[in-house]
Amino acid sequence: MQLLRKSKREWGVEYAYRIPLGLSFNDYEKRLDALQDGLNGKRYVDVKTFLQGIRTLNMRDLKALLTQKKAVKKEVELAYDGVLIVKVYEQSMPDYFEYDNAIVERLKGWEIPVGVTRTELIKHDFDRNAHLIVAGTSGGGKSVFLKNVITTLVARKTKDTNLFLIDLKGGLALNRFRNLEQVKGFAKNPAEALTILTEAQAKMNERIEYLLDHGYEDVIEAGFPERFFVVIDEAADISDSKECQAIIKDIARRGRGAGFQLIYCTQYATNETISPQVRQNCSAQVCFRLKTAIASRAVLDEDGAESLPLIKGRAIYRTDVKTIVQTPLIENKFIDETIKPNIIIRARKEGEECDDNSIKGTAPRKHTLIIEEIGLS
């Protein structure tokens, strides 16, 4: 294999090789683990670094240098750009990335944080890539990522965010958001999902008719600040509903111009649970670890998600490029503190059971109203 160039970067070293005839990029991807393990099999300390340490450090710091060298695990990423690009990182990908207010301040427009790499914060812009598929096995970070998306939108675009939430886990995963003023509909089973989707489609059609009547191409040109997000968690549960699927495909196909964004989430990634129309119209995917390469191809159109390390929050974010990220961990306490000002108390429908979440933040009564008959007419 011919080395074309070697470049020192801030994060490590980048090599470019010409791939020999008869081999493909896929052949190297399959051997990535072997390449990385071989690179980290070395247990010695680089001589130049060691001598430099002797000249500048005392014995305590020198021992720390040796320990640190053993702990560092070099990681490798492969890419293809006409030539094979091998990136050898000096630092490992972080295993933990906590969501905080500082992240929110780094966002613009309709951006939400996707995660961090070794060097930067990766953001998803809903105005650039309207629809998003989120996939991953249970416990990998999918639901936490959804909470991150909703909390960010409510915190940053408080007046302009509208949410249609469909939580087919029975409503538990997104329950803390159901009484937000931004929520225009909340569904927890397939029957309610069809109702919510129908309402969302009607609103989308209304928007499209307005734009047509006034000669606008889309909501950006019309100057509409509002956006509508149709969030479906465990979407596989309605994959066999023709009525629901027809509306979902319609929103994926026509929603962008009207300011409607689809966030389609599933832990059962197959060609049946993610229709080709939805996949084609969703230009971005966040894919946590999946069990098989077949499942990975159903989401990303390529292998890779099955090889992600068993680290919660580790995912592949793909638009026109593929990036491995550590997604933010957002704690429920942080969410509650952030969204509390936007929670409203809704009147319960007849027959609806009392919902503890609907009275959060309501202080206990201190006074009692007494009505007394006094005999005056």
Side-chain angles (χ1 to χ4, degrees):
M1 195 163 65
Q2 181 184 4
L3 176 63
L4 300 176
R5 65 174 183 273
K6 175 183 175 182
S7 309
K8 182 68 177 176
R9 307 290 189 187
E10 291 182 357
W11 39 261
V13 183
E14 179 180 294
Y15 302 87
Y17 293 95
R18 178 174 288 120
I19 296 178
L21 291 174
L23 295 176
S24 68
F25 175 64
N26 192 38
D27 294 323
Y28 291 92
E29 277 197 309
K30 291 178 180 177
R31 293 170 173 79
L32 177 59
D33 288 343
L35 176 63
Q36 195 162 264
D37 290 347
L39 194 64
N40 289 292
K42 298 177 180 178
R43 292 298 179 192
Y44 58 83
V45 175
D46 176 74
V47 175
K48 183 177 179 181
T49 304
F50 184 74
L51 293 175
Q52 185 177 355
I54 291 178
R55 287 196 298 270
T56 58
L57 304 176
N58 58 36
M59 287 306 297
R60 177 180 296 179
D61 293 337
L62 192 57
K63 290 180 180 177
L65 176 66
L66 290 167
T67 304
Q68 181 184 19
K69 188 65 182 179
K70 288 179 181 178
V72 170
K73 180 182 178 182
K74 291 185 177 180
E75 294 179 342
V76 178
E77 279 187 7
L78 302 180
Y80 184 74
D81 184 18
V83 296
L84 175 65
I85 303 296
V86 181
K87 296 180 178 179
V88 180
Y89 294 95
E90 294 292 342
Q91 294 185 345
S92 303
M93 177 77 78
D95 295 344
Y96 179 80
F97 172 44
E98 185 176 3
Y99 189 110
D100 58 26
N101 287 318
I103 297 174
V104 178
E105 295 174 0
R106 297 172 64 182
L107 304 172
K108 300 177 181 176
W110 288 97
E111 292 178 342
I112 56 104
V114 173
V116 289
T117 65
R118 300 168 186 82
T119 57
E120 62 179 328
L121 174 67
I122 303 298
K123 299 171 282 187
H124 174 83
D125 185 347
F126 280 105
D127 265 357
R128 180 173 298 178
N129 294 288
H131 310 307
L132 185 65
I133 292 176
V134 181
T137 54
S138 179
K142 180 170 59 63
S143 294
V144 174
F145 184 79
L146 282 187
K147 293 178 184 179
N148 153 34
V149 173
I150 296 171
T151 304
T152 302
L153 292 173
V154 171
R156 294 201 64 255
K157 293 288 188 178
T158 306
K159 300 299 182 184
D160 299 328
T161 294
N162 300 277
L163 300 164
F164 294 94
L165 302 182
I166 299 173
D167 179 2
L168 297 171
K169 288 180 179 175
L172 294 177
L174 302 181
N175 192 33
R176 61 185 355 96
F177 301 109
R178 66 182 302 175
N179 289 313
L180 289 174
E181 60 180 313
Q182 290 82 7
V183 173
K184 306 306 177 187
F186 188 91
K188 56 185 182 299
N189 58 53
E192 293 176 356
L194 179 58
T195 301
I196 297 299
L197 287 170
T198 303
E199 292 173 2
Q201 187 185 40
K203 185 67 178 176
M204 182 184 73
N205 289 335
E206 181 184 309
R207 278 285 174 111
I208 291 174
E209 287 299 322
Y210 179 90
L211 295 171
L212 286 171
D213 291 344
H214 292 79
Y216 294 119
E217 181 178 322
D218 55 30
V219 291
I220 296 175
E221 183 182 13
F224 283 0
E226 287 185 308
R227 300 292 185 270
F228 294 79
F229 295 85
V230 180
V231 182
I232 309 173
D233 196 10
E234 300 306 335
D237 287 6
I238 52 174
S239 61
D240 58 352
S241 168
K242 292 182 180 179
E243 295 90 346
C244 289
Q245 286 301 309
I247 297 174
I248 291 170
K249 293 172 187 175
D250 188 33
I251 293 173
R253 186 170 61 87
R254 299 191 299 145
R256 178 176 183 172
F260 277 68
Q261 274 82 0
L262 175 67
I263 303 176
Y264 189 92
C265 313
T266 181
Q267 63 174 300
Y268 303 106
T270 68
N271 291 329
E272 287 72 33
T273 57
I274 307 174
S275 70
Q277 293 92 332
V278 170
R279 188 161 50 238
Q280 288 175 4
N281 286 290
C282 290
S283 56
Q285 302 90 32
V286 174
C287 190
F288 296 88
R289 183 180 172 91
L290 291 168
K291 290 182 178 178
T292 66
I294 295 175
S296 179
R297 289 195 289 273
V299 180
L300 302 170
D301 286 332
E302 63 177 300
D303 299 358
E306 79 285 359
S307 301
L308 286 171
L310 291 169
I311 299 172
K312 284 190 176 182
R314 188 62 54 87
I316 295 173
Y317 173 62
R318 177 171 175 171
T319 51
D320 51 342
V321 297
K322 186 173 74 174
T323 307
I324 296 177
V325 297
Q326 183 66 29
T327 57
L329 173 63
I330 186 167
E331 301 286 356
N332 286 337
K333 181 181 178 183
F334 181 91
I335 296 173
D336 292 340
E337 291 173 351
T338 303
I339 67 175
K340 186 176 180 180
N342 302 290
I343 290 178
I344 58 174
I345 298 176
R346 302 175 192 273
R348 292 198 306 273
K349 296 178 182 178
E350 186 177 354
E352 188 177 26
E353 294 181 358
C354 179
D355 181 356
D356 291 340
N357 194 48
S358 67
I359 59 173
K360 275 186 176 179
T362 303
R365 301 290 184 183
K366 295 180 179 179
H367 307 288
T368 302
L369 174 64
I370 300 175
I371 301 176
E372 182 180 356
E373 186 176 354
I374 58 176
L376 297 177
S377 60

